[in-house]
Structure formats: structure tokens, C-alpha cells
Amino acid sequence: LAAGVAYVSGYPGSPATGVFEALARHAATSTLALDWAPNEKVALEMAAGASLAGRRSLVVLKSVGLNIALDPLATLSYVGCHAGLVLLVGDDPGGSSSQNEQDSRWLARLAEAPLVEPTDAASAAPLMTQAFAWSEALGLPIIVRLTRSLANATAPQGEPLWQLPPGRRRFLRHENRWIVYPPNVVRRHHILHHHLRQYQTALEASPYDLGGEHAASPRGVIAAGGAYARLRASGCSLQGADLLGLASAWPLPERRLSAWLAPVQRLLVLEEGGPFIEEQMRALAQRQGLRLEILGRATRALPEEGELRDEDIALALQALMAE
């Protein structure tokens, strides 16, 4: 609402449904329009149409629903958007209300759609507003990923949310601008990569990634998205290790991370889902020539399945500090 969203579409599915329902309570007293769609593909296409018409739009769906929406998303990344377009995707580590533990971050990377994750409940609303600002500035759809534990978390409202100025509210007429067909596929892909590099540069100064400019300890912990809140709530001692809360899941702010990692010799990656950040960190360390041991789900310092538990985090921190 602070971002000036004008249209919301979605398909029911926990843990994302509550966002749609909360917005629906405001629809009767505002100009906000909402539609449950017959499926997630249609939901994304409806929101994309509203974005092209100059209305900031939000799509609300769960992890397995992103599979259904992947067909238009893979091309929409090339087309881009006009007014801000954000997908709120609810992942369900532990399978509490899903048939699998799908990690949507891999699909975001496949579709080349930027993805961010709030590190706690307090940062979720400001990050959503920021996602709309990034989307509109760069002409890219942005994915905001929530996990079940974060969707169920609460936090007191702090400072009043910053408000985006009014949206564009018009259709941008330009011949062949909003279609992708064989003669312009490579050019649109090139433009997408240019915009992704611009976005990645913007992430280098993102206030949603929480940590010092440089680590001070040879032991480091990166807690991605909701794993940061889980670590804080667990009460586990970091035992002198430096902590970085990472909201920027893909692409990564690589220059900032490389500088932070310079003194680190052993790194633990905490994340909900598969070893998505862990594998990116391993690749980044190799490219930067960093001699760095990385622990996480891929190395089984953390269980490969299920939600993060306090005992999992405690054991992983013990492994990090072991000689």
C-alpha cells in the first residue's frame, strides 16, 4: 500500500494467502483492485497487463504456483514492465501445507528475475516498497520471497513507511516494445542483462543487507532471508564469529560480499531451502581467489531437508568454530 499498488492478483496457497487477504480488507475503502485468478499463470498475465497500463501491480502466489507462472515469467523478464511489478512468493520449507519443499530461488534464477528476501518481519514491508521502486526504475519484475516462519512472524511497526510518489498511470506506446518475437530475442536478452547489472550495482549500497563493511573475525556467518530472524530468535551464541544478514538473494552484491569475506577463513551459510546462497558463495570465492572453507546444507553442516531448527543452528555454529 505504501508503494501505491493499484492492482493485486493471485491464487490461494499458504504461506502467501494472508497477504492477499490483508490487502482485500483495504479494497472496500480504496481504489485498490484485487482478483483471485483461475491459476497462477493467469494471475501473472493479469498483473503484467495492469503494469503495462501504468498501474503498480502485485502477484501473490506460493512456491509450487511459481511453476505454473514460469511460462509467462521467463518471457516477461525480457519484455520488462512499465509500472512496478512484484511477485510475492511464499515458500514452505518443511512442507507444512505443500506437496514438496520447493525452493523458488532456483526458478527465479532460471527466469533471470531478481529476488530478495526480508531478513525479519520488521523489514518485510519496507523491502516490499523498495522492490516496487527497483522494479519501476529498471523496468524489471522483482520477486520477494517469504518462508512460512517469516510469514507467521510479527513485529511492531516502527518508523512510518516511506511512500512512493504516484505511478505512471498510462500506457507507454512504442512500436513492438512490449512483445518478444524471434527477431528481437537476443536484443531483449542483452537489455535484460544490462538492467540486471544496474540492479546488482544498486544492491552494493542496499540497507537491507545487514553487516559491517568488513568482517573482523576469521569466522563468518551469512544468514540469508528469514534465516537471519531464525538465528536471532534461537539465542545461539556466535562465539565471536561475524554475522551478515543477506536480503539480496539473486543476483548477489558481489563487491560488497568479497570485501566482507576478505579476512574470513571459515564461513557458515544459514538459509531456508537448498544450498542456493551457499553454492553462489562457493563460486564467488573461487572467482575472487579467496581461500575459504564454506559450510552449509551442501556440506551437511545443516540438514539438507526441513526448516531450520534451533538445534540445527547450534550444531552448525559448533562445526564452524571447531578447529
Side-chain angles (χ1 to χ4, degrees):
L1 293 171
V5 64
Y7 180 72
V8 182
S9 62
Y11 188 83
S14 177
T17 304
V19 175
F20 190 100
E21 292 173 339
L23 288 169
R25 291 194 288 271
H26 293 270
T29 57
S30 71
T31 58
L32 179 64
L34 298 93
D35 286 308
W36 282 127
N39 60 57
E40 294 86 353
K41 173 182 180 293
V42 174
L44 178 55
E45 291 170 341
M46 291 161 69
S51 169
L52 297 188
R55 302 298 193 266
R56 291 178 184 142
S57 302
L58 175 69
V59 186
V60 179
L61 65 165
K62 69 177 296 179
S63 54
V64 294
L66 189 59
N67 301 340
I68 313 303
L70 184 60
D71 179 54
L73 180 61
T75 303
L76 186 60
S77 296
Y78 286 32
V79 172
C81 61
H82 181 37
L85 175 59
V86 174
L87 290 78
L88 178 81
V89 179
D91 276 7
D92 189 15
S96 296
S97 58
S98 307
Q99 61 267 48
N100 60 39
E101 290 192 285
Q102 179 174 310
D103 186 337
S104 297
R105 297 175 297 175
W106 305 96
L107 290 186
R109 186 170 183 174
L110 176 65
E112 297 186 272
L115 184 144
V116 291
E117 301 183 76
T119 51
D120 55 25
S123 67
L127 183 58
M128 175 61 77
T129 309
Q130 180 65 66
F132 273 99
W134 280 327
S135 173
E136 200 156 288
L138 297 170
L140 294 176
I142 306 285
I143 297 175
V144 176
R145 177 186 185 241
L146 292 177
T147 54
R148 188 186 71 89
S149 61
L150 191 57
N152 291 331
T154 59
Q157 184 174 334
E159 297 290 328
L161 291 175
W162 59 293
Q163 306 278 323
L164 292 190
R168 290 162 174 166
R169 297 192 176 279
R170 64 182 179 86
F171 176 66
L172 178 64
R173 296 187 180 277
H174 194 293
E175 186 177 2
N176 293 334
R177 169 61 186 88
W178 303 114
I179 61 173
V180 174
Y181 62 117
N184 73 350
V185 164
V186 174
R187 182 174 65 86
R188 292 306 312 174
H189 202 186
H190 175 76
I191 292 170
L192 168 60
H193 288 159
H194 173 69
H195 288 159
L196 286 172
R197 285 191 291 271
Q198 289 180 309
Y199 172 74
Q200 192 170 23
T201 299
L203 292 179
E204 299 293 345
S206 170
Y208 302 98
D209 295 324
L210 310 173
E213 187 173 333
H214 300 281
S217 168
R219 300 290 191 270
V221 177
I222 290 179
Y228 179 86
R230 295 298 290 263
L231 171 60
R232 288 301 196 191
S234 72
C236 294
S237 170
L238 292 173
Q239 305 176 65
D242 281 305
L243 174 63
L244 175 66
L246 187 66
S248 308
W250 191 85
L252 294 175
E254 293 192 351
R255 290 199 303 273
R256 181 175 181 174
L257 284 170
S258 297
W260 188 83
L261 286 170
V264 176
Q265 298 172 8
R266 301 190 81 195
L267 174 70
L268 172 64
V269 179
L270 299 174
E271 54 189 321
E272 291 277 29
F276 183 78
I277 301 297
E278 181 184 348
E279 291 188 1
Q280 288 189 83
M281 296 307 301
R282 195 165 282 113
L284 176 62
Q286 191 275 331
R287 289 197 303 274
Q288 297 296 325
L290 300 174
R291 302 190 65 177
L292 178 66
E293 181 184 1
I294 300 176
L295 308 176
R297 289 190 182 264
T299 65
R300 299 182 183 174
L302 292 161
E304 295 179 275
E305 309 84 17
E307 284 189 290
L308 283 177
R309 302 173 301 169
D310 292 354
E311 52 265 40
D312 300 329
I313 294 172
L315 289 172
L317 288 171
Q318 290 178 19
L320 175 68
M321 302 309 295
E323 295 297 333

